[in-house]
C-alpha cells in the first residue's frame, strides 16, 4: 500500500524495525535505483526480513512520484504489524510505503562545518544500514553548532564518522579520503559512487587529522557534492566545482551522470548480483569488519 496510512501496531513505528531509502527524482525518474536497491536488499538480509516483491516496491513508488517532476522520494520497508513485545510474529507481513516531495532549497555557497556534541552509537550488525532508528541524527540536528550548515559526528572513541545527514570526503594532496562506516553511520549510495570514482581511501579520522585537509565535501542522496568552505574554524581553498566532471547540477543539487537504464531492471537477480553490480555493494566489501550477506 502507498496511501500514507501506517498502522499503530506497525513494528517500524513501534521499534524502528525497518529500513528506508531516500531517492533523488529527476523528471519523474528515481536516480541510481540499483545502488539504493542493493543497500535495501542487503539491509533486509542483515535484519532477517524477507524481500518484498519488485512489483510491490515499484507500485509504491509509482503511486506517489509525480510524472515529469523533480523531487525527493522516501521509500520505507518495515517488518509490518505485530503484537505488543519485541518478538516478531511468525508470519511477517511487510509494510511498503513511499512519500514524495519537492527538492530542498540548498544554499549555493560552501558549507560551514562544526563539531556536533552528539556522539554516534550503534552495534556492529547495523553498521551502514539506513534503518529507521535515527535519534542520534535527530538530536545532532537539534544541537547544531551556531552558524553551521553541517556538523561532524564522532563515535564513542572520538573519531570522526560522518556528518549529521551526509558522508564526508577530504583531500590530502592528491589523495581523497573518507572515514570507515562504524557505529551508527550510514553507508551512503553517493559515498559508494565517489569511493570508486575517486579511488578514495577508507581511513580512520581523528579530528586532528582534518588539519591536513586541503579540500572537503559532503554527499548524500539529495546532493552528491556539497563543498566545505570552513572546516572546524579553518578556511579551505576555494574550488570551482566538483572533483570530477561526471556529476551535473540539477536545480542546485549535484548528481552523478547515469546511463538511461530501464528503471524496472534495477531490482533483478540475486542479492549477490545486486551487490557485485553496484558501487555500494562493492564498497561494502571493503569496509572494516564487513560481513556481506549473499
Amino acid at each position: 500500500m502507498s496511501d500514507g496510512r501506517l498502522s499503530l501496531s506497525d513494528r517500524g513505528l513501534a521499534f524502528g524495525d525497518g529500513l528506508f531509502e531516500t531517492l533523488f527524482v529527476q523528471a519523474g525518474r528515481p536516480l541510481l535505483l540499483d545502488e539504493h536497491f542493493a543497500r535495501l536488499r542487503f539491509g533486509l538480509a542483515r535484519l532477517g526480513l524477507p524481500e518484498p516483491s519488485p512489483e510491490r516496491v515499484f507500485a509504491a513508488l509509482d503511486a506517489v512520484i509525480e510524472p515529469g517532476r523533480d523531487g525527493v522520494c522516501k521509500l520505507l520497508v518495515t517488518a509490518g504489524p505485530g503484537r505488543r513485545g519485541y518478538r516478531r510474529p511468525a508470519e511477517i507481513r511487510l509494510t511498503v510505503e513511499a512519500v514524495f516531495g519537492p527538492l530542498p532549497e540548498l544554499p549555493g555557497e560552501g558549507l560551514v562545518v562544526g563539531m556536533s556534541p552528539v556522539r554516534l552509537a550503534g552495534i556492529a550488525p547495523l553498521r551502514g544500514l539506513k534503518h529507521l532508528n535515527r535519534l542520534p541524527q535527530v538530536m545532532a540536528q537539534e544541537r547544531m553548532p551556531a552558524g553551521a550548515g553541517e556538523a561532524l559526528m564522532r563515535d564513542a572513541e572520538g573519531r570522526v564518522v560522518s556528518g549529521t545527514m551526509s558522508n564526508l570526503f577530504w583531500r590530502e594532496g592528491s589523495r581523497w579520503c573518507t572515514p570507515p562506516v562504524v557505529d551508527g553511520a550510514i553507508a551512503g549510495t553517493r559515498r559508494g559512487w565517489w569511493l570508486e570514482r575517486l579511488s578514495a581511501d577508507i581511513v580512520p579520522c581523528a579530528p586532528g587529522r582534518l588539519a591536513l585537509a586541503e579540500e572537503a565535501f559532503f554527499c548524500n542522496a539529495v546532493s552528491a557534492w556539497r563543498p566545505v568552505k570552513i572546516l572546524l574554524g579553518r578556511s579551505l581553498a576555494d574550488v570551482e566545482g566538483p572533483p570530477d566532471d561526471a556529476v551535473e547540477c540539477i536545480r542546485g543539487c549535484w548528481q552523478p551522470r547515469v546511463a538511461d537504464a530501464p528503471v524496472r531492471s534495477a531490482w533483478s537477480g540475486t542479492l549477490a548480483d545486486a551487490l557485485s553490480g553496484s558501487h555500494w555493494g562493492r564498497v561494502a566489501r571493503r569496509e572494516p569488519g564487513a560481513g556481506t550477506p549473499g
Side-chain angles (χ1 to χ4, degrees), residues 9 20 30 34 39 41 55 64 77 79 98 115 156 167 172 176-177 180 183 237 244 258 265 276-277 279 283 285 287:
S9 66
F20 71 101
D34 53 343
R39 181 173 62 183
R41 296 173 70 182
E55 293 77 15
V64 298
V77 180
M115 184 69 75
N167 293 119
E172 301 174 3
W176 281 98
C177 305
D183 289 347
D244 192 286
V258 293
S265 69
S276 63
H279 300 283
V283 165
R285 300 180 188 275
E287 296 289 347

Side-chain angles (χ1 to χ4, degrees), residues 46-47 118-129 131 133-137 153-159 161-162 181-186:
R46 179 60 63 83
L47 294 182
V118 179
R119 300 291 181 101
L120 270 176
I123 59 174
L126 299 181
R127 285 178 180 170
L129 303 188
H131 56 77
N133 296 279
R134 302 262 65 96
L135 278 178
Q137 286 87 349
M153 298 190 73
R154 294 165 289 175
D155 64 12
E157 297 181 16
R159 296 167 299 193
V161 177
S162 67
V181 172
V182 295
D183 289 347
I186 295 174

Side-chain angles (χ1 to χ4, degrees), residues 239-261:
V239 294
E240 295 182 357
D244 192 286
D245 61 6
V247 292
E248 61 181 336
C249 187
I250 303 170
R251 294 180 57 188
C253 302
W254 291 86
Q255 291 294 328
R257 301 180 193 273
V258 293
D260 192 22

Side-chain angles (χ1 to χ4, degrees), residues 8-159:
L8 292 178
S9 66
D10 194 277
R11 292 183 58 84
L13 180 63
F15 307 117
D17 192 0
L19 303 160
F20 71 101
E21 292 291 329
T22 304
L23 310 175
F24 186 94
V25 177
Q26 181 185 19
R29 180 186 182 83
L31 302 186
L32 273 69
L33 270 184
D34 53 343
E35 303 292 327
H36 288 284
F37 286 166
R39 181 173 62 183
L40 177 61
R41 296 173 70 182
F42 175 94
L44 291 168
R46 179 60 63 83
L47 294 182
L49 292 172
E51 291 187 4
S53 68
E55 293 77 15
R56 190 175 179 197
V57 172
F58 286 118
L61 297 178
D62 291 343
V64 298
I65 294 177
E66 301 175 27
R69 290 285 302 277
D70 297 336
V72 178
C73 181
K74 184 173 184 177
L75 172 67
L76 298 97
V77 180
T78 82
R83 294 182 296 180
R84 183 178 178 277
Y86 292 132
R87 184 180 293 274
R88 290 172 178 159
E91 181 183 358
I92 295 175
R93 295 183 290 120
L94 296 177
T95 296
V96 181
E97 292 283 357
V99 60
F100 179 73
L103 292 177
E105 294 288 339
L106 298 180
E109 67 274 8
L111 289 168
V112 175
V113 178
M115 184 69 75
S116 174
V118 179
R119 300 291 181 101
L120 270 176
I123 59 174
L126 299 181
R127 285 178 180 170
L129 303 188
K130 200 158 185 175
H131 56 77
L132 294 174
N133 296 279
R134 302 262 65 96
L135 278 178
Q137 286 87 349
V138 171
M139 293 174 65
Q141 283 281 316
E142 290 297 307
R143 300 177 66 184
M144 188 72 72
E150 178 59 298
L152 297 171
M153 298 190 73
R154 294 165 289 175
D155 64 12
E157 297 181 16
R159 296 167 299 193

Side-chain angles (χ1 to χ4, degrees), residues 201-270:
D201 293 324
I202 300 173
V203 296
C205 181
R209 178 164 189 159
L210 293 177
L212 301 174
E214 301 172 42
E215 181 181 348
F217 68 88
F218 286 87
C219 62
N220 60 20
V222 175
S223 188
W225 181 70
R226 297 198 66 193
V228 175
K229 178 174 64 175
I230 299 176
L231 180 61
L232 301 180
R234 184 172 64 90
S235 296
L236 300 185
D238 292 332
V239 294
E240 295 182 357
D244 192 286
D245 61 6
V247 292
E248 61 181 336
C249 187
I250 303 170
R251 294 180 57 188
C253 302
W254 291 86
Q255 291 294 328
R257 301 180 193 273
V258 293
D260 192 22
V263 169
R264 262 38 180 192
S265 69
W267 192 307
S268 62
T270 65

